[in-house]
Amino acid sequence: MVVAAAEMLRKAKEGKYAVAQININNLEWAKSVLQVVEELQSPIILGVSEGAGKYMAGYKTVVGMVNGMLEELKITVPVALHLDHGSYEHCYKCIEAGFKSVMFDGSHYPIEENIAKTRELVEVCHSKGISLEAEVGSIGGEEDGVVGLGECADPDECKRIADLGVDFLAAGIGNIHGKYPANWPGLRFDVLEAVKAKVGELPLVLHGGTGIPDDMIQKAISLGVAKINVNTECQLVFAEATRKYIESGKDLEGKGFDPRKLLAPGAEAIKAKVREKLTLFGSVGKA
Ligand code: 13P
């Protein structure tokens, strides 16, 4: 069964490594990630965006699929299933569907409203043994072809959210979702240190893990980041492997039209990417 993420992140913070949140989009994605984490004995967080949840037929389907895989693939490492950037309404939908971890992204609300909604969700989640991630300082990214630079969180606002008892906190430090533009100035470690000084031992989350140079990732972990989210990078390798397979043409002549064969190269590409990330984040052998 999927577990809450709070304990794995507490251990990661203490052990100075980070747990990967790999977002899943379909059965092949989830199965590939689970096979790799079992092989490498690493804890993992499977992220589900609202869009991916809808695509996979709804949150109950996702919970059923992942819990089924944990049993039938005989997965022994801790696996959390986590709503990514959840709205207030979708946090409740996931709680009802059996998620043990959710992110409430109230960063677009005025801070008082973010605090009020986060406070309520902390109470509800903790009464049910569910972990809660909150966000301060929105994480930018590509919108309508325009890439915005990441916003930086206000350390005092981070403290106010941290004091509500959230289990981990996503604080914007110049990180963005998707590919980083050529003129990206890099992560704001000064902001990360200022946030850390205010929130103490609370594990911090780094979103937008795609394309951040390895040395910046390692520095972020050394400064208290205990969870790193990766999505676009897996999508890119999946798409590229699938494209190559289709372009090779020959496989489609024989049995290659079998969807299980068609999706296999993408699944293998995800496995390779996840192995690379778990090694970089230092979570191998930490289950
Ligand atoms: P990337 O898509 O940039 O890897 O970011 C993933 C993420 O932060 C999901 O919340």
Side-chain angles (χ1 to χ4, degrees), residues 21 23 84-85 103 139 176-180 206-210 229-233:
Q21 174 184 313
N23 282 26
D84 188 29
H85 292 283
M103 172 187 192
I139 290 145
I176 58 174
H177 293 122
K179 291 181 180 173
Y180 285 83
L206 184 63
H207 282 246
T210 294
N229 294 7
V230 178
N231 181 30
T232 306
E233 230 172 308

Side-chain angles (χ1 to χ4, degrees), residues 10 14 50 56 120 122 124 130 190 199 209 214 223 257 260:
R10 197 193 51 72
E14 215 175 78
E50 292 190 2
M56 290 184 273
E120 178 192 310
V122 166
V124 173
I130 294 169
D190 56 329
V199 305
D214 291 1
L223 292 175
F257 54 80
R260 284 170 271 173

Side-chain angles (χ1 to χ4, degrees), residues 215-279:
D215 59 334
M216 286 194 200
I217 292 278
Q218 275 154 350
K219 186 163 178 189
I221 295 172
S222 76
L223 292 175
V225 164
K227 168 174 174 283
I228 302 176
N229 294 7
V230 178
N231 181 30
T232 306
E233 230 172 308
C234 290
Q235 296 194 346
L236 288 170
V237 296
F238 184 85
E240 177 63 10
T242 309
R243 186 181 64 78
K244 273 198 190 143
Y245 179 81
I246 290 172
E247 281 178 3
S248 75
K250 63 177 188 333
D251 295 292
L252 299 177
E253 306 272 314
K255 285 255 187 215
F257 54 80
D258 178 342
R260 284 170 271 173
K261 286 220 164 89
L262 176 64
L263 296 177
E268 285 306 313
I270 287 176
K271 284 187 190 171
K273 183 54 72 182
V274 173
R275 279 188 201 103
E276 178 193 313
K277 293 297 165 190
L278 300 181
T279 305

Side-chain angles (χ1 to χ4, degrees), residues 134-164:
E135 177 170 332
V136 179
S138 82
I139 290 145
E142 193 175 326
E143 220 169 44
D144 294 334
V146 179
V147 181
L149 294 183
E151 206 181 279
C152 284
D154 173 346
D156 289 315
E157 291 185 359
C158 290
K159 176 163 172 46
R160 291 183 68 194
I161 295 274
D163 286 349
L164 302 174

Side-chain angles (χ1 to χ4, degrees), residues 121-141:
L121 280 161
V122 166
E123 250 179 57
V124 173
C125 287
H126 288 180
S127 72
K128 297 173 187 290
I130 294 169
S131 46
L132 182 76
E133 173 179 351
E135 177 170 332
V136 179
S138 82
I139 290 145

